[in-house]
């Protein structure tokens, strides 16, 4: 008779019992997670009359793999696009809920006489709702699509992200046993740096790699490659001293933005279900019913704290975020439970040996109770709203209503130019700053030791600095010269804006120079002043290089197409009817008139510098019934001329302000339109004076353009036109920089008159009909 290895026998027992208990749970319409926990209790050491697990260490390993799969799957469902969409309402409500429940947990732990570590971990567990339970309950009750359920899902996205950070912070606190101090701050800073570096490099490299091997991918190879990426990130996170769960989550979140995300999620689901089941069963194995009886008081107290505390705190959070009372109460009563993330945090504390053995089963018991009560809380939400309305003073109800309306008005009417500018400023600062710092660290930590073993140490240092400068150079132009379209608006809006704007530009330039100086000062004991001076001069000349700007633009374009790959793929699926929405959404045209007082009369356009300084394009001049289409820099405006300026709406508004301030011309009231409307409707009837917008697909027949920069390609002279934008892998790039290199399959959007249309038709290079917009009339 054969002998089965102990871990196989244990796994067989686990799956058989879990299968029976989960079927029973489904029969009585309860979550399967409860069935797994019950199965764990039944096969654990405390139930004598049933077979028991013989070696829990093997089950623990499988359970750890289960956590990895659960976090990887969570990452696959998460994406940076989803995080960007949640809005300030969810962030405000989630922040108040997290801080509030963390405080409640610490206070309850203190009242029960628990140690500080037990209190902190308890607060972390109480701050996390159960995404799995809520989604299942909403589906069962057919509640998806309601306004307040969307708010709940947005809060859950924030909670999932915060939970990942919380695990890292709790791990750091546990190791140091010291909540305050520089070590915690440095650990969080290190985490944020590596997190940003992984995400940036992952977005830049991973979709590109998957795109190149797309034709080699079947279900089997995609599954193996995806799990290889997952466990590779797990290994890397562990090697850097972070949680394996963080590595799995990051791997999933990077894959979530690719076109393979849904397919990977489908392929990984059986693995997640299997190993996730083992994890939840392992939760039940360590539960001792005698301990639950002993701690029945804390269990009931914490259960009440979750039910009452989460409802009250989340209601307040939603109200502060601007939601009405009914939606706030409905959202709060849906989130009155704790779930799978609480188990993972409890397991972390137990693994690190910093929480008591009693805390894990207490949290499991609280989770089971609150999971069972969740549907009843949601059903009782209407009664909850009626009760609150009845008990709350009318003045307070009126104040809440007015506050919600005022928040809605701010969201609808206010454009928050400063907010938009700072968002662009700091995102650019963060992305390129992290990349530069990452290149420096990799150069000094990896390249220098390797070179020192091959060549003389001083030469190795010089070579390392040279390589660092070479790889950092493409990122200097955006760091030193970045100004988004809101900069001019703020500069023109009022004089008081100019000092902070200049301070922000100086700050980023200073940080860039410090980063460049860093490797030199770390490798050589040199005076800082001359090194700074040399670095400033070097940075200036490097950042002015057209070749480097072209390389940076290539990197930026690839990053943006990779970042938006999943969304762009959805557009590709709908290729039969492309909208080219940017023609309507991002480009506007405004008519102006020159009178006798105009200060722009008889001055060459290149001297006015409208394109260079204000980023607008003069499309057409109407003079005595004749048109000058896309005039060159030598053209001059005359008294009585009408002319049309094209730009995005923000830049067009900036131009109107400057034109009125400097008395260049007067805008024609109510005559702003989209580029598509201008071409289709606003040009008059004379066909020879028309401006056309046409698309050219850059295929192999135009190989002489591929790989050249826009300014060196000769497009303007060849087709007598202006390049207004291009689409790369369906990603639109409006007003591309002249140094950008053209790639095969780019879709070029050209503006020009009858001459351009004739040349394109004769050359047979116009894009296919399914790619051509309605504005192309040729």
């Amino acid at each position: 008779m054969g002998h089965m290895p102990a871990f196989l026998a244990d796994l067989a027992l686990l799956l058989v019992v879990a299968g029976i208990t989960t079927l029973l749970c489904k029969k009585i319409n309860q979550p399967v997670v409860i069935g797994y926990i019950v199965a764990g209790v039944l096969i654990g050491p405390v139930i004598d009359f049933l077979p028991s697990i013989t070696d829990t260490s093997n089950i623990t390993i499988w359970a750890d793999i289960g956590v990895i799969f659960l976090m990887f799957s969570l990452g696959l469902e998460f994406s940076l696009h989803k995080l960007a969409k949640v809005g300030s309402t969810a962030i405000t409500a989630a922040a108040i809920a997290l801080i509030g429940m963390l405080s409640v947990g610490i206070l309850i732990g203190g009242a029960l006489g628990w140690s500080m570590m037990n209190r902190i971990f308890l607060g972390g567990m109480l701050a996390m709702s159960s995404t799995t339970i809520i989604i299942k309950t909403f589906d069962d009750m057919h509640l998806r699509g309601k306004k307040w359920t969307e708010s709940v899902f947005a809060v859950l996205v924030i909670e999932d992200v915060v939970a990942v950070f919380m695990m890292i912070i709790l791990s750091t606190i546990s190791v140091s046993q010291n909540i305050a101090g520089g070590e915690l701050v440095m650990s969080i800073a290190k985490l944020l740096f590596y997190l940003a570096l992984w995400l940036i490099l992952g977005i830049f490299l991973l979709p590109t790699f998957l795109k190149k091997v797309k034709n080699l991918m079947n279900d089997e190879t995609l599954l193996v490659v995806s799990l290889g990426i997952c466990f590779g990130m797990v290994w890397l996170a562990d090697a850097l001293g972070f949680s394996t769960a963080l590595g799995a989550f990051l791997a999933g979140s990077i894959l979530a933005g690719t076109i393979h995300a849904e397919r990977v999620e489908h392929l990984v689901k059986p693995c997640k279900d299997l190993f996730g089941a083992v994890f939840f069963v392992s939760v039940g194995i360590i539960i001792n019913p005698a301990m639950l009886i002993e701690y029945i008081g804390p269990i009931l107290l914490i259960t009440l704290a979750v039910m009452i505390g989460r409802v009250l705190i989340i209601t307040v959070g939603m109200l502060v975020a601007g939601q009405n009372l009914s939606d706030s109460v409905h959202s709060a009563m849906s989130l009155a439970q704790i779930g799978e993330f609480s188990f993972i945090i409890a397991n972390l504390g137990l693994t690190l040996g910093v929480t008591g053995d009693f805390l894990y089963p207490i949290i499991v018991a609280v989770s089971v109770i609150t999971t069972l009560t969740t549907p009843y809380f949601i059903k009782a939400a209407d009664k909850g709203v009626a009760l609150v309305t009845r008990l709350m003073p009318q003045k307070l109800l009126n104040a809440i209503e007015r506050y919600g309306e005022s928040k809605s008005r701010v969201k609808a009417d206010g454009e928050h130019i400063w907010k938009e500018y700072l968002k662009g400023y700091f995102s650019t600062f963060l992305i390129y700053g992290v990349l530069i710092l990452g290149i420096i660290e990799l150069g000094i930590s990896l390249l220098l030791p390797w070179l020192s073993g091959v060549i003389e140490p001083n030469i190795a240092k010089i070579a390392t600095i040279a390589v660092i400068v070479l790889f950092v150079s493409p990122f200097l132009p955006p760091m030193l010269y970045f100004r988004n379209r809101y900069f001019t608006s703020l500069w023109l809006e009022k004089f008081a804006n100019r000092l902070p704007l200049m301070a922000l530009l100086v700050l980023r330039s200073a940080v860039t120079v410090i980063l460049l100086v860093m490797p030199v000062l770390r490798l050589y004991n040199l005076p800082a002043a001359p090194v700074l001076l040399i670095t400033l001069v070097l940075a200036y000349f490097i950042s002015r290089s057209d070749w480097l700007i072209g390389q940076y633009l290539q990197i930026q374009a690839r990053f943006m197409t990779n970042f938006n790959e999943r969304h762009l793929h959805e557009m590709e699926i709908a290729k039969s009817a492309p909208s080219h929405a940017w023609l309507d959404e991002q480009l506007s045209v405004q008519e102006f008139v020159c009178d006798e007082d105009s200060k722009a009369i008889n001055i060459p356009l290149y001297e006015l510098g409208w394109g260079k300084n204000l980023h607008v394009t003069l499309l057409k001049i109407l003079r005595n019934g004749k048109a000058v289409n896309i005039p060159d820099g030598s053209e001059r405006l005359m008294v009585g001329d009408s002319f049309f300026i094209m730009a995005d709406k923000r830049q067009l508004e900036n131009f109107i302000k400057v034109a009125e301030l400097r008395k260049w011309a007067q805008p024609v009231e109510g005559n702003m339109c989209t580029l598509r409307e201008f071409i289709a409707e606003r040009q008059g009837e004379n066909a020879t004076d028309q401006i056309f917008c046409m698309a050219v697909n850059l295929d192999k027949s135009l190989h002489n353009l591929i790989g050249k920069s826009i300014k060196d390609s000769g497009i303007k002279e060849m087709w007598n036109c202006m390049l207004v934008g291009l689409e790369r892998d369906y990603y639109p790039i409006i007003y591309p920089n002249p140094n950008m290199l053209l790639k095969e399959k780019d879709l070029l959007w050209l503006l020009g008159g009858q001459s351009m249309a004739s040349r394109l038709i004769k050359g047979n290079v116009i894009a296919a009909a399914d790619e051509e917009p309605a504005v192309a009339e040729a």
Side-chain angles (χ1 to χ4, degrees):
M1 188 173 178
H3 177 70
M4 180 182 287
F7 83 92
L8 284 181
D10 288 343
L11 182 62
L13 175 64
L14 183 152
L15 293 177
V16 169
V17 176
I20 295 170
T21 55
T22 51
L23 286 173
L24 290 173
C25 283
K26 292 292 286 183
K27 179 68 175 176
I28 59 176
N29 200 28
Q30 294 301 321
V32 294
V33 172
I34 295 176
Y36 293 140
I37 295 170
V38 172
V41 174
L42 294 176
I43 62 176
V46 296
I47 305 296
D48 297 330
F49 56 85
L50 289 176
S52 299
I53 295 293
T54 57
D55 188 354
T56 56
S57 61
N58 286 323
I59 300 299
T60 301
I61 294 171
W62 282 60
D64 290 341
I65 297 174
V67 173
I68 290 170
F69 272 104
L70 288 170
M71 296 301 293
F72 181 58
S73 297
L74 182 65
L76 285 170
E77 295 172 4
F78 170 83
S79 72
L80 294 175
H81 286 286
K82 190 181 290 187
L83 182 61
K85 288 179 182 177
V86 297
S88 58
T89 298
I91 294 171
T92 302
I96 291 173
L98 290 164
I99 294 170
M101 291 310 298
L102 189 64
S103 304
V104 168
I106 292 172
L107 290 173
I108 290 176
L112 294 171
W114 293 353
S115 69
M116 181 53 73
M117 293 308 302
N118 281 319
R119 295 182 213 172
I120 294 171
F121 270 81
L122 176 63
M125 295 174 212
L126 300 190
M128 297 293 112
S129 300
S130 174
T131 304
T132 305
I133 299 304
I134 290 172
I135 289 174
K136 181 184 182 303
T137 305
F138 281 177
D139 287 341
D140 290 346
M141 299 177 71
H142 307 292
L143 292 172
R144 285 211 192 203
K146 292 184 179 291
K147 180 187 172 186
W148 60 269
T149 61
E150 296 305 311
S151 298
V152 170
F153 287 135
V155 169
L156 290 172
V157 169
I158 301 297
E159 285 190 351
D160 289 344
V161 175
V162 171
V164 175
F165 281 94
M166 188 179 292
M167 291 171 66
I168 310 304
I169 295 169
L170 290 175
S171 299
T172 305
I173 294 173
S174 302
V175 172
S176 65
Q177 295 289 312
N178 181 17
I179 300 171
E183 185 181 349
L184 177 60
V185 174
M186 287 303 296
S187 180
I188 294 172
K190 181 182 173 186
L191 165 67
L192 292 173
F193 168 70
Y194 281 116
L195 185 66
L197 187 61
W198 285 344
L199 285 173
I200 293 167
L201 290 177
I203 291 169
F204 183 75
L205 298 174
L206 192 57
T208 302
F209 165 73
L210 292 175
K211 202 178 294 181
K212 288 185 181 297
V213 298
K214 181 180 177 182
N215 294 333
L216 304 175
M217 288 284 192
N218 56 25
D219 285 353
E220 180 182 356
T221 53
L222 181 59
L223 175 63
V224 172
V225 169
S226 301
L227 294 183
I229 292 168
C230 171
F231 282 90
M233 290 289 280
V234 166
W235 173 84
L236 182 60
D238 184 66
L240 293 171
F242 296 122
S243 161
T244 55
L246 174 65
F249 178 80
L250 281 176
S253 61
I254 293 171
L255 282 169
T258 70
I259 60 175
H260 304 284
E262 292 181 5
R263 192 170 156 206
V264 171
E265 193 174 348
H266 173 73
L267 293 172
V268 168
K269 190 176 185 303
C271 301
K272 181 199 78 170
D273 291 343
L274 172 62
F275 288 101
V278 175
F279 168 70
F280 288 117
V281 171
S282 73
V283 170
I285 289 174
I286 64 172
I287 293 177
N288 187 339
M291 187 178 288
L292 295 181
I293 295 171
E294 180 183 350
Y295 286 95
I296 189 66
I299 289 172
L300 294 177
L301 177 62
I302 295 170
T303 300
L304 288 173
V306 171
M307 292 178 175
I308 298 171
R310 288 192 68 84
V311 169
L312 292 177
I313 292 171
I314 294 172
T315 298
V316 171
M318 287 288 183
L319 290 172
V320 170
Q323 296 294 302
N324 61 50
L325 182 62
S326 176
D327 288 349
S328 299
V329 173
H330 276 85
S331 300
M333 294 188 77
S334 303
L335 292 162
Q337 78 290 118
I338 57 175
E340 58 277 3
F341 250 126
S342 301
F343 297 165
I344 294 173
I345 293 172
N347 184 56
L348 177 67
L350 203 61
T351 303
L352 294 171
V354 294
T355 57
D357 293 340
F358 61 88
L359 188 56
Y360 201 154
I362 286 176
I363 286 300
V364 173
V366 172
S367 176
V368 171
I369 295 170
T370 55
T371 294
L372 291 171
T373 58
T374 295
Y376 301 103
F377 265 68
I378 295 174
K379 289 176 183 176
D382 288 331
K383 294 180 180 178
V385 173
L387 179 63
V388 172
T389 305
R390 190 166 62 250
L391 296 178
M392 193 174 287
Q394 189 60 43
K395 286 185 178 180
L396 184 55
L397 288 172
N398 293 338
I400 290 171
E401 186 176 353
R402 287 195 301 272
Y403 175 77
E405 289 175 354
S406 68
K407 292 281 285 185
S408 298
R409 281 198 301 273
V410 168
K411 290 173 188 173
D413 302 330
E415 292 187 302
H416 307 298
I417 302 175
W418 263 112
K419 178 183 175 183
E420 293 300 323
Y421 173 73
L422 291 174
K423 185 165 70 173
Y425 175 92
F426 284 110
S427 61
T428 303
F429 202 168
L430 173 67
I431 291 172
Y432 297 116
V434 166
L435 280 172
I436 291 172
L437 191 57
I439 291 167
I440 293 169
E441 289 300 319
L442 288 172
I444 293 175
S445 303
L446 299 179
L447 180 62
L448 180 60
W450 179 77
L451 287 176
S452 298
V454 177
I455 56 179
E456 199 270 327
N458 281 328
I459 297 176
K461 289 181 180 179
I462 294 171
T464 299
I465 292 172
V467 171
I468 288 172
V469 170
L470 178 65
F471 280 91
V472 160
S473 296
F475 306 113
L476 293 182
M479 284 292 283
L480 291 173
Y481 302 116
F482 170 81
R483 292 184 184 181
N484 66 20
R485 58 191 176 186
Y486 299 100
F487 181 93
T488 308
S489 295
L490 291 167
W491 187 270
L492 295 171
E493 187 179 36
K494 53 185 177 182
F495 188 80
N497 286 341
R498 298 185 180 184
L499 183 60
L501 286 171
M502 291 301 297
L504 287 169
L505 291 178
V506 171
L507 170 65
R508 192 164 57 199
S509 299
V511 171
T512 305
V513 172
I514 290 170
L515 288 173
L516 286 174
V517 168
M518 186 188 299
V520 179
L521 295 182
R522 284 176 63 177
L523 297 180
Y524 291 99
N525 187 20
L526 297 173
V531 174
L532 272 172
L533 183 61
I534 293 169
T535 304
L536 275 170
V537 175
L538 183 66
Y540 175 81
F541 284 106
I542 289 176
S543 62
R544 292 286 179 176
S545 165
D546 287 347
W547 181 82
L548 283 173
I549 292 173
Q551 297 306 307
Y552 152 68
L553 292 169
Q554 291 296 94
I555 293 169
Q556 183 193 48
R558 180 189 288 188
F559 181 86
M560 293 307 297
T561 51
N562 285 354
F563 181 69
N564 294 282
E565 185 183 49
R566 192 171 179 180
H567 172 67
L568 296 171
H569 179 64
E570 292 168 359
M571 290 176 60
E572 186 177 0
I573 292 172
K575 185 178 176 182
S576 57
S579 65
H580 306 294
W582 59 272
L583 287 167
D584 288 318
E585 296 170 359
Q586 298 189 41
L587 290 176
S588 299
V589 179
Q590 172 67 49
E591 183 179 1
F592 293 81
V593 175
C594 288
D595 55 25
E596 293 86 351
D597 298 324
S598 172
K599 302 294 185 183
I601 290 173
N602 209 28
I603 298 175
L605 294 177
Y606 73 85
E607 289 188 19
L608 293 172
W610 292 349
K612 180 179 179 182
N613 299 323
L614 295 169
H615 310 291
V616 300
T617 299
L618 204 166
L619 272 186
K620 180 192 286 272
I621 300 173
L622 293 179
R623 180 180 299 153
N624 299 324
K626 295 184 178 180
V628 181
N629 290 329
I630 313 179
D632 60 27
S634 63
E635 186 66 51
R636 300 165 187 256
L637 292 169
M638 302 296 176
V639 176
D641 283 355
S642 292
F643 62 91
F644 297 85
I645 294 290
M646 178 184 71
D648 73 36
K649 192 171 183 180
R650 174 63 57 192
Q651 289 163 341
L652 202 50
E653 290 170 353
N654 294 339
F655 181 82
I656 291 171
K657 290 178 184 177
V658 178
E660 291 177 336
L661 183 68
R662 299 188 180 179
K663 298 183 179 179
W664 283 333
Q666 291 296 320
V668 177
E669 291 291 333
N671 207 21
M672 185 182 291
C673 60
T674 68
L675 175 61
R676 191 190 298 267
E677 289 170 343
F678 171 77
I679 292 175
E681 303 169 11
R682 305 286 181 91
Q683 298 195 82
E685 298 179 358
N686 191 344
T688 59
D689 293 338
Q690 296 286 307
I691 285 180
F692 300 96
C693 180
M694 293 183 167
V696 172
N697 195 359
L698 205 59
D699 56 22
K700 291 180 180 178
S701 66
L702 295 169
H703 61 87
N704 57 313
L705 301 181
I706 297 169
K708 289 186 177 180
S709 67
I710 292 170
K711 70 178 184 181
D712 294 333
S713 65
I715 288 174
K716 183 175 181 181
E717 295 76 16
M718 187 185 345
W719 291 319
N720 194 24
C721 66
M722 181 188 75
L723 179 64
V724 68
L726 63 84
E727 292 182 29
R728 180 165 295 173
D729 294 328
Y730 288 89
Y731 182 77
I733 301 171
I734 315 301
Y735 288 137
N737 189 292
N739 294 295
M740 174 169 276
L741 303 179
L742 297 173
K743 288 181 64 178
E744 187 177 352
K745 297 183 181 179
D746 281 351
L747 189 66
L748 310 182
W749 289 92
L750 309 175
L751 282 178
Q754 192 69 46
S755 171
M756 177 199 75
S758 300
R759 293 185 189 189
L760 292 177
I761 292 170
K762 289 175 182 176
N764 195 28
V765 293
I766 300 176
D770 62 340
E771 294 174 336
E772 199 172 336
V775 296
E777 299 183 12

